């Protein structure tokens, strides 16, 4: 048997396909053939990819530079029998590892979901007998029988069919069921246009058919997608990449300073143990122990906030990635649009009628020149809507105020349009009962129905189809009074082109009076003697909120690109209607690119094209993946939406994959980082806004915590290099770092969004987390904390205070200095008075708790013994608060000068 690639089957006649596969068109395979081929080709299953075991996955959570530092600090303090220090540090590491393990174990399940999607049964013809078998038992050459409601069990070449329609949206992105036919096609035919092929995991929505199996398991189109998913890289998020780089730099800085500290202490004649403890104190002080926990908790809070805005986050780093997004590649159907075909315009007689209301609900009215009309005053319009309702095999179903459909969305749009003016199916079918039907076939491009008239003296035939085909059958037309008049076909074509340019799908309608004894309608009845009634133009209307969200995204500097299964011209018109692209881009020649053009572009050419083009139509799964990779080569942070199996590889490759919750396949959901509950593009815009807020709050935390670590490190360094007593001990440093991070720093996670957050451009993915201005501020606060802690320590020693009391001064200076500085970190630009002093209740709660805890730390005997501290007098407390207040005032002055400078630059 000659095994040919799946791409080659559509360009053979079905008899040649059966011959190549050594099957029998009448009897199918024999039992011996099946056994032989099962041994040769295996089961019709997707091969699962090898994955990391749970233990390895858990251990890899510790494979981070910052974690190495913390583990080393934990081990060293353990060896020095500092049990509290060691336990706290290791506890932070362990919690982060557990959270990371849970998140990763939920991810990367797309391949298992693909395998599940292949499960099911199939009806086959073997040895001339019909039987139902497990879909996994199919082999190449099997004859498979399909009917409405079946899932296609393998890739099939169609042999014969009757009115067969298949929903291929999960594979190709085509929103409307595809009419299938047996005819041989050109070799260059795109996947979405191979009307003689049926692909695994697609759904039969109408009709029956028989096909021969040409590919199973990994060789099917869905199997190829499985390979793409496995090969797609899981990318680190922008913040993760920056934190990793920061951690590596910090690792060497801390190690270097710790070695210098050890050498300096040894040169000053200190004991090796004391010198070693000083080096550990420096390492512990310089490490921002609270940063991993803060990142995890802030991202988790972001996840919770997004859930209230209809976005489910599967992988926590995706929260921050959203805030960095520079390009959103969105599917059209159901995301930017309602996924409910709606008649928008009817041309009948010489008049253009506009229909209001969108979706399947029969709500809205009909207008002529902006005035609402009464249908009885427009008999030709009524006749056109009647034709759309009667020449129809679909159903619109009402259930508890919700509307659902059975059949073709295009036909349901015709039903809804008629219902809007009170033309109801139950009334018409009793007045004009159907006698016969000529179903739609793609080669004829029309459908016809025959109906009895109540008079019984004659019958009437209604025709629905493409404009070209229907006009070719018409010799005249009806006017407003239902009188026959000459037909101006050029006028009709102009109206059709005008509608098509708006992205509307146009159907034409005609009528023919038949003899009373007619009982059937045949193709020969569709001749030159029909009378034209009108045109109905429909579209999948844009979501109102999606149009606004696109505008907000573009004003925020985020490019929006549409990737769809529609034809290029339709997709471009809808994109312009939604508002994608600026005016110059919309008129550009390469505003929209078709899937047939992409293979002709080299990778370097595609990198340039994706920058200019905003619409990509009729693209394959490989091309979607290629588009995402090309955008990433332009240093874009890419968010990709999708709902089908065909979207999964690109969803995984994207910096953030966004799957649809309502209409999405399980494969897409498993590959995605985020799931939209309501399948709405506006939710993506809301999530990006929330992501920017989360990133802002993370930067605020880093800006707040680093001065403490730098100040503590400098205190240790100066003491060692000058041969002085340490103002703070390692265990006191841990107390400062962990309690303030939890009760003060974490409260920044509850800060609301900054003013104008969606008016500023996206962050440069290459830019540092901390700007030059923030580094200057961190330096100022670090120096002030150092000066305050050392100044109070030396003042206490000079006033004959014992060492424990002097160190208590230093510890409280760090804590309360951080506390006062925290109020300035609520916004990196504005004062807390502009935000509202009481707008963050959690921050005020944290400050109150931290104050009480610090009083307990200072005055409780058990804490004095455990941490080596001593109670302070009232005057001592006043000194601490005064020094902390100086930090607040200095930062306030710096921010005021910064705003003043910015206003001058803008002026």
């Amino acid at each position: 048997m000659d095994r040919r690639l799946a791409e080659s089957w559509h360009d053979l006649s079905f008899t040649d396909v059966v011959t190549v596969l050594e099957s029998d068109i009448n009897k199918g395979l024999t039992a011996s053939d099946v056994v032989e081929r099962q041994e040769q080709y295996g089961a019709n299953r997707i091969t699962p990819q090898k994955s990391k075991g749970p233990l390895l996955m858990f251990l890899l959570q510790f494979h981070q530079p910052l974690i190495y530092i913390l583990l080393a600090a934990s081990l060293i303090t353990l060896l020095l029998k500092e049990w509290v220090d060691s336990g706290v540090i290791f506890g932070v590491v362990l919690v982060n590892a557990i959270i990371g393990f849970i998140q990763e174990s939920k991810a990367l399940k797309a391949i298992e979901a693909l395998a599940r999607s292949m499960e099911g049964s199939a009806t086959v013809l073997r040895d001339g007998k019909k039987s139902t078998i497990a879909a996994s038992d199919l082999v190449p050459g099997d004859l498979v029988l399909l009917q409405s409601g079946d899932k296609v069990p393998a890739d099939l070449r169609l042999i014969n069919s009757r009115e067969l329609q298949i929903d291929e949206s999960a594979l190709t992105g085509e929103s409307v069921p595809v009419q299938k036919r047996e005819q041989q096609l050109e070799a260059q035919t795109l996947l979405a246009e191979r009307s003689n092929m049926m692909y695994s995991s697609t759904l039969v929505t109408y009709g029956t058919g028989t096909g021969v199996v040409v590919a199973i398991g990994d060789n099917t189109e869905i199997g190829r997608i499985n390979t793409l998913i496995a090969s797609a890289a899981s990318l680190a998020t922008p913040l993760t990449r920056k934190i990793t780089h920061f951690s590596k730099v910090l690792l060497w800085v801390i190690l270097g300073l710790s070695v210098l500290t050890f050498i300096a202490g040894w040169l000053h004649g200190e004991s090796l143990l004391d010198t070693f403890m000083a080096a550990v104190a420096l390492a512990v002080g310089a490490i921002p122990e609270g940063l991993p926990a803060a990142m995890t908790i802030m991202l988790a809070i972001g996840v919770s906030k997004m859930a209230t805005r209809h976005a489910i986050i599967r992988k926590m780093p995706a929260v921050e990635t959203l805030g960095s997004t520079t390009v959103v590649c969105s599917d059209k159907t159901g995301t930017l649009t309602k996924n409910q075909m709606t008649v928008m315009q009817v041309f009948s007689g010489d008049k253009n009628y506009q229909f209001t209301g969108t979706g399947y609900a029969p709500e809205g009215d009909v207008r002529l020149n902006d005035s609402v009309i009464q249908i009885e005053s427009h008999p030709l319009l009524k006749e056109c809507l009647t034709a759309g309702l009667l020449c129809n095999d679909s159903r619109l179903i009402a259930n508890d105020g919700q509307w659902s459909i059975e059949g073709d969305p295009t036909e349901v749009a015709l039903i809804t349009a008629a219902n809007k003016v009170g033309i109801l199916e139950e009334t018409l079918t009793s007045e004009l009962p159907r006698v016969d039907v000529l179903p739609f076939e793609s080669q004829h491009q029309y459908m016809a129905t025959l109906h009895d008239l109540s008079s019984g003296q004659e019958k009437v035939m209604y025709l629905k189809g493409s404009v070209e085909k229907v006009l070719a059958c018409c010799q005249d037309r009806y006017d407003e009074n239902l009188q026959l008049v000459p037909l101006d076909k050029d006028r009709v074509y102009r109206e059709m082109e005008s509608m098509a340019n708006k992205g509307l799908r146009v159907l034409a309608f005609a009528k023919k009076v038949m003899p009373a004894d007619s009982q059937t309608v045949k193709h020969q009845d569709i001749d030159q003697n029909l009378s034209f009634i009108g045109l109905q133009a429909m579209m999948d209307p844009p979501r109102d909120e999606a149009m606004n969200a696109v505008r907000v995204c573009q004003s925020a500097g985020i490019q929006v690109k549409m990737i769809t299964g529609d034809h290029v011209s339709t997709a471009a018109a809808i994109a312009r209607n939604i508002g994608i692209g600026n005016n110059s881009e919309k008129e550009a020649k390469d505003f929209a690119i078709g899937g047939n053009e992409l293979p002709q572009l080299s990778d370097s050419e595609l990198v340039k094209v994706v920058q200019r083009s905003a619409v990509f139509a009729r693209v394959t799964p490989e091309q979607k993946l290629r588009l995402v990779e090309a955008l990433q080569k332009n240093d874009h942070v890419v968010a990709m939406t999708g709902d089908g199996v065909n979207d999964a590889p690109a969803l995984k490759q994207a910096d953030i994959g966004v799957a649809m919750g309502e209409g999405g396949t399980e494969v897409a959901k498993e590959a995605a980082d985020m799931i939209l509950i309501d399948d709405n593009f506006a939710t993506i815009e809301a999530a990006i806004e929330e992501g920017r807020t989360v990133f802002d709050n993370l930067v605020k935390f880093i800006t707040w915590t680093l001065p403490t670590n730098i100040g503590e490190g400098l205190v240790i360094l100066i003491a060692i290099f000058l041969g002085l007593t340490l103002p703070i001990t390692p265990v006191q440093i841990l107390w400062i770092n962990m309690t303030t991070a939890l009760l003060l720093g974490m409260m920044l996670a509850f800060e609301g969004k900054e003013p104008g957050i969606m008016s500023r451009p996206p962050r440069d993915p290459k830019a540092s987390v901390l700007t030059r201005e923030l580094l200057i501020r961190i330096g100022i606060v670090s120096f002030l904390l150092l000066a305050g802690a050392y100044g109070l320590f030396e003042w206490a020693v000079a006033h004959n205070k014992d060492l424990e009391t002097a160190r208590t001064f230093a510890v409280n200076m760090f804590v309360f200095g951080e506390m006062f500085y925290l109020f300035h970190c609520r916004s990196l630009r504005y004062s807390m008075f502009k935000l509202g002093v009481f707008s963050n209740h959690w921050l005020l709660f944290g400050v109150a708790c931290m104050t009480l805890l610090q009083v307990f730390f200072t005055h409780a005997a058990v804490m004095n013994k455990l941490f080596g501290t001593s109670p302070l007098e009232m005057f001592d407390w006043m000194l601490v608060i005064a020094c902390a207040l100086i930090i607040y005032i200095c930062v306030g002055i710096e921010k005021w000068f910064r705003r003043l400078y910015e206003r001058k630059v803008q002026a």
Side-chain angles (χ1 to χ4, degrees):
M1 183 175 63
D2 179 17
R3 284 292 310 279
R4 293 171 58 108
L5 293 175
E7 287 87 349
S8 301
W9 297 110
H10 63 275
D11 65 341
L12 293 177
S13 68
F14 67 81
T15 53
D16 288 342
V17 171
V18 173
T19 301
V20 169
L21 291 169
E22 298 176 9
S23 187
D24 189 308
I25 201 167
N26 297 312
K27 295 182 179 180
L29 297 175
T30 64
S32 59
D33 289 336
V34 171
V35 172
E36 180 184 331
R37 296 183 189 199
Q38 284 178 338
E39 291 176 354
Q40 183 178 0
Y41 302 115
N44 180 30
R45 293 194 185 98
I46 288 179
T47 304
Q49 303 291 325
K50 292 182 180 180
S51 59
K52 294 175 288 189
L55 179 60
L56 179 60
M57 190 184 299
F58 179 71
L59 292 176
L60 285 175
Q61 304 304 317
F62 297 91
H63 184 51
Q64 302 174 42
L66 192 59
I67 299 300
Y68 291 155
I69 301 171
L70 293 174
L71 285 174
S74 177
L75 179 61
I76 292 170
T77 51
L78 179 67
L79 294 174
L80 296 173
K81 297 183 180 181
E82 298 291 344
W83 313 118
V84 175
D85 305 35
S86 180
V88 170
I89 297 172
F90 186 72
V92 170
V93 173
L94 188 62
V95 168
N96 278 280
I98 292 172
I99 292 173
F101 172 76
I102 292 171
Q103 290 298 319
E104 188 170 348
S105 65
K106 290 180 179 179
L108 303 176
K109 291 183 179 178
I111 294 168
E112 288 87 342
L114 273 167
R116 288 195 300 271
S117 74
M118 296 276 296
E119 295 173 358
S121 60
T123 302
V124 297
L125 188 66
R126 288 177 176 174
D127 287 319
K129 298 177 182 178
K130 283 198 334 183
S131 61
T132 300
I133 63 170
S136 58
D137 292 336
L138 286 173
V139 295
D142 260 325
L143 295 186
V144 178
L145 311 178
L146 296 172
Q147 61 183 3
S148 181
D150 287 348
K151 178 188 285 187
V152 180
D155 284 2
L156 311 176
R157 170 61 165 89
L158 188 61
I159 292 176
N160 60 67
S161 65
R162 179 170 175 79
E163 306 168 36
L164 183 64
Q165 296 181 23
I166 293 185
D167 179 0
E168 296 182 341
S169 59
L171 184 65
T172 66
E174 175 62 67
S175 57
V176 178
V178 178
Q179 184 82 25
K180 295 296 181 178
R181 60 185 181 186
E182 303 86 32
Q183 280 77 4
Q184 185 176 344
L185 300 172
E186 294 292 330
Q188 298 82 6
T189 306
L190 295 175
L191 177 73
E193 296 172 356
R194 294 175 190 171
S195 57
N196 60 10
M197 295 293 297
M198 299 172 288
Y199 294 106
S200 177
S201 295
T202 58
L203 299 172
V204 179
T205 60
Y206 194 78
T208 60
T210 302
V212 59
V213 175
V214 296
I216 62 171
D218 293 337
N219 293 316
T220 62
E221 283 296 326
I222 200 173
R224 291 171 59 246
I225 291 173
N226 168 61
T227 305
L228 290 174
I229 295 173
S231 64
S234 296
L235 301 180
T237 71
L239 183 65
T240 304
R241 292 193 288 265
K242 290 182 176 68
I243 293 297
T244 300
H245 176 72
F246 169 74
S247 300
K248 289 178 180 177
V249 173
L250 188 63
L251 171 66
W252 294 109
V253 170
I254 290 173
L255 289 176
L257 290 177
S258 296
V259 171
L260 287 176
T261 300
F262 183 81
I263 294 172
W266 179 66
L267 291 175
H268 278 95
E270 300 287 342
S271 69
L272 288 178
L273 180 61
D274 289 343
T275 304
F276 200 71
M277 280 300 296
V280 171
L282 174 66
V284 171
I287 295 171
E289 292 94 346
L291 183 56
M295 284 182 60
T296 300
I297 292 172
M298 285 189 172
L299 291 173
I301 291 172
V303 168
S304 177
K305 286 182 178 179
M306 287 186 184
T308 65
R309 304 185 77 168
H310 308 294
I312 301 297
I313 302 296
R314 295 185 65 251
K315 303 170 187 176
M316 281 205 295
V319 177
E320 180 274 326
T321 312
L322 278 164
S324 312
T325 301
T326 59
V327 175
V328 178
C329 296
S330 178
D331 187 30
K332 175 186 73 70
T333 305
T335 308
L336 290 166
T337 63
K338 292 177 178 287
N339 196 20
Q340 296 184 359
M341 292 295 285
T342 306
V343 172
M344 309 296 291
Q345 186 176 344
V346 173
F347 172 71
S348 187
D350 290 318
K351 298 177 180 177
N352 267 301
Y353 299 90
Q354 307 299 323
F355 283 63
T356 65
T358 56
Y360 294 136
E363 299 168 354
D365 50 45
V366 183
R367 303 187 178 212
L368 180 63
N369 300 325
D370 294 329
S371 299
V372 178
I373 62 130
Q374 298 300 316
I375 191 63
E376 298 304 329
S377 303
H378 299 266
L380 183 57
L381 173 62
K382 184 177 181 181
E383 189 71 9
C384 185
L385 296 174
T386 297
L389 184 60
L390 291 176
C391 195
N392 199 310
D393 280 329
S394 299
R395 293 179 61 207
L396 178 63
I397 304 166
N399 186 13
D400 295 330
Q402 299 296 316
W403 296 90
S404 59
I405 71 168
E406 285 183 5
D408 189 333
T410 300
E411 290 193 330
V412 176
L414 301 175
I415 297 173
T416 300
N419 289 175
K420 286 181 179 179
V421 293
I423 302 174
L424 304 178
E425 184 178 5
E426 52 268 27
T427 304
L428 279 183
T429 51
S430 61
E431 294 177 354
L432 297 165
R434 181 184 289 188
V435 177
D436 193 25
V437 60
L438 194 62
F440 179 88
E441 294 178 349
S442 54
Q443 64 266 39
H444 295 297
Q445 294 293 311
Y446 59 69
M447 171 185 178
T449 54
L450 183 65
H451 301 268
D452 264 327
L453 290 176
S454 55
S455 64
Q457 296 178 357
E458 53 190 16
K459 290 185 171 67
V460 63
M461 179 182 71
Y462 288 110
L463 184 74
K464 172 189 72 181
S466 69
V467 177
E468 295 84 356
K469 197 70 178 181
V470 172
L471 282 181
C473 300
C474 294
Q475 64 177 1
D476 51 26
R477 71 174 178 88
Y478 285 97
D479 67 6
E480 282 297 321
N481 299 314
L482 297 182
Q483 300 298 312
L484 293 175
V485 296
L487 173 62
D488 183 354
K489 293 185 179 181
D490 290 339
R491 168 71 190 281
V492 177
Y493 277 122
R494 287 196 300 272
E495 292 293 337
M496 180 203 72
E497 289 173 3
S498 173
M499 293 171 172
N501 289 336
K502 301 174 187 174
L504 299 175
R505 183 178 184 182
V506 186
L507 290 177
F509 297 86
K511 176 180 176 181
K512 181 179 182 180
V513 177
M514 302 284 285
D517 59 353
S518 301
Q519 295 301 317
T520 61
V521 57
K522 301 176 182 178
H523 290 296
Q524 49 264 42
D525 296 321
I526 315 298
D527 52 18
Q528 300 289 328
N529 298 317
L530 274 77
S531 301
F532 180 73
I533 303 174
L535 304 175
Q536 292 197 47
M538 64 199 70
M539 70 181 303
D540 183 6
R543 293 176 181 258
D544 293 335
E545 60 273 30
M547 295 174 71
N548 181 63
V550 167
R551 180 185 56 77
V552 171
C553 282
Q554 292 181 158
S555 67
I558 300 168
Q559 298 180 40
V560 179
K561 298 184 184 293
M562 178 194 289
I563 300 179
T564 177
D566 279 332
H567 291 281
V568 176
S569 57
T570 303
I574 292 172
R576 292 186 180 99
N577 191 23
I578 291 172
I580 291 176
N582 56 42
N583 292 333
S584 60
E585 289 173 339
K586 291 176 183 177
E587 300 304 321
K589 181 181 178 182
D590 52 4
F591 175 71
I593 298 290
N596 58 336
E597 300 176 60
L598 294 178
Q600 303 168 22
L601 300 174
S602 66
D603 288 344
S604 58
E605 289 173 331
L606 184 61
V607 168
K608 297 176 182 177
V609 168
V610 294
Q611 281 288 87
R612 302 191 302 266
S613 301
V615 179
F616 301 91
R618 292 292 200 190
V619 292
T620 65
E622 293 95 336
Q623 289 170 343
K624 289 188 177 185
L625 185 60
R626 227 184 131 205
L627 288 171
V628 172
E629 290 171 336
L631 286 166
Q632 288 170 336
K633 286 177 183 177
N634 281 318
D635 295 324
H636 282 297
V637 177
V638 182
M640 167 78 186
T641 76
D643 56 4
V645 173
N646 61 327
D647 296 320
L651 288 175
K652 190 179 174 208
Q653 176 66 34
D655 296 274
I656 175 162
V658 184
M660 304 299 111
E662 292 181 353
T665 60
E666 287 303 312
V667 178
K669 292 176 186 176
E670 292 292 344
D673 304 287
M674 182 175 86
I675 300 171
L676 303 184
I677 299 174
D678 57 358
D679 292 9
N680 194 337
F681 185 87
T683 303
I684 300 176
E685 181 267 320
I688 289 174
E689 182 181 282
E690 203 63 57
R692 289 189 173 192
T693 300
V694 169
F695 182 82
D696 280 356
N697 290 343
L698 281 169
V699 173
K700 291 171 187 176
F701 178 86
I702 294 170
T703 305
W704 170 83
T705 195
L706 285 184
T708 305
N709 301 114
I710 295 171
E712 290 167 343
L714 289 174
V715 164
I716 302 297
L717 271 177
I718 290 174
I720 293 298
F721 277 90
L722 297 181
L724 305 175
T725 303
L726 291 179
I728 46 178
T729 64
V731 70
Q732 291 170 346
I733 290 173
L734 272 175
W735 169 266
I736 296 168
N737 290 356
M738 298 312 296
T739 57
T740 56
L742 179 64
L743 293 175
L744 298 180
M746 292 299 179
M747 301 307 148
L748 292 171
F750 298 99
E751 282 297 328
K753 62 182 180 181
E754 292 268 332
I757 194 169
M758 289 301 284
S759 298
R760 65 193 191 205
R763 296 191 321 275
D764 182 351
K766 295 181 179 179
S768 172
V769 174
L770 299 174
T771 62
R772 184 173 64 89
E773 292 78 8
L774 292 181
L775 289 173
I776 292 172
R777 186 177 301 165
I778 289 170
I780 292 172
V781 177
S782 299
F783 173 77
L784 291 173
L785 284 171
L786 168 68
Y790 235 117
L792 289 175
F793 177 82
E794 292 297 332
W795 180 88
V797 172
H799 286 75
N800 299 318
K801 306 275 187 180
D802 57 41
L803 180 61
E804 287 77 10
T805 302
R807 283 176 169 166
T808 306
F809 267 103
V811 171
N812 279 296
M813 177 62 223
F814 271 106
V815 171
F816 284 92
E818 284 186 273
M819 187 182 296
F820 278 78
Y821 177 47
L822 179 70
F823 289 101
H824 274 300
C825 289
R826 290 187 58 196
S827 173
L828 299 177
R829 187 170 186 273
Y830 304 105
S831 73
M832 69 173 183
F833 299 103
K834 180 167 184 175
L835 301 178
V837 177
F838 302 103
S839 59
N840 188 343
H841 302 296
W842 284 104
L843 185 136
L844 297 176
F845 173 77
V847 167
C849 289
M850 189 70 240
T851 302
L852 293 174
L853 191 61
Q854 202 58 27
V855 170
F856 178 72
F857 170 86
T858 303
H859 292 280
V862 64
M863 300 298 282
N864 296 156
K865 183 176 181 180
L866 188 60
F867 288 95
T869 57
S870 181
L872 298 180
E873 298 174 359
M874 181 59 68
F875 181 74
D876 301 337
W877 279 111
M878 291 174 65
L879 282 176
V880 170
I881 299 301
C883 290
L885 187 59
I886 290 173
I887 293 178
Y888 179 83
I889 294 170
C890 289
V891 176
I893 293 171
E894 184 266 338
K895 289 174 79 173
W896 180 79
F897 273 113
R898 183 77 57 198
R899 290 195 300 272
L900 191 65
Y901 173 76
E902 289 176 356
R903 282 197 291 268
K904 286 184 178 179
V905 170
Q906 291 172 358

